[in-house]
Amino acid sequence: MNFSVQTNTRSKYWKNSISLFDHAIKQSPESAFAIELNPDFASSYMSRGIIEMNIYKDFNSALDDYNRAIVITPGFVQAYYNRGLLKFKMNNPESACNDFYMVRKLGYPNADDIISRYCR
């Protein structure tokens, strides 16, 4: 049975998409598995960081994963952007803005909008 059929079948058992997503991660943690298979694949660290930041609210683990993604791929714009958002959530706006300035340096098209919104 493919995942979309399983999701549709199981959806009546979960009250919201977060609990369904959380269950899917626990049943098949693709990011962790991808990291295990290829520890130098930056996108897996960034994906796990997103989950840790937004679902589990484990900011320190998310920060570690974003940092690792950037070490592996120094020009990883999305990792800098997500790390900047995380640093705002962690009440570190100066460091967050440094990440957003890097996002602009790396050529992200909406970087100036992000900087004007967060870095005053």
Side-chain angles (χ1 to χ4, degrees):
M1 184 182 304
N2 70 31
F3 185 73
S4 62
V5 172
Q6 289 176 359
T7 300
N8 187 33
T9 303
R10 293 177 180 169
S11 64
K12 59 188 162 198
Y13 300 107
W14 284 280
K15 294 181 182 178
N16 60 50
S17 60
I18 296 296
S19 63
L20 180 61
F21 185 65
D22 188 47
H23 177 76
I25 292 167
K26 289 176 183 172
Q27 296 302 312
S28 180
E30 286 86 10
S31 293
F33 183 66
I35 289 168
E36 192 174 306
L37 287 177
N38 185 356
D40 292 327
F41 190 57
S43 291
S44 296
Y45 288 98
M46 196 194 65
S47 295
R48 188 171 70 179
I50 291 169
I51 293 166
E52 291 163 342
M53 179 173 75
N54 295 317
I55 305 295
Y56 296 114
K57 308 298 184 205
D58 184 353
F59 295 160
N60 291 324
S61 293
L63 184 61
D64 289 343
D65 279 343
Y66 293 142
N67 289 339
R68 179 73 179 138
I70 290 167
V71 166
I72 294 168
T73 306
F76 199 170
V77 175
Q78 294 89 352
Y80 279 102
Y81 173 76
N82 286 331
R83 189 175 73 174
L85 292 177
L86 174 63
K87 288 177 178 178
F88 264 102
K89 289 182 178 193
M90 296 176 78
N91 202 24
N92 191 350
E94 184 177 330
S95 186
C97 288
N98 288 337
D99 282 345
F100 294 145
Y101 291 129
M102 179 58 82
V103 166
R104 179 171 60 192
K105 182 178 178 183
L106 293 170
Y108 185 71
N110 296 326
D112 288 331
D113 294 337
I114 295 163
I115 291 167
S116 67
R117 179 176 178 190
Y118 292 102
C119 307
R120 298 180 186 169

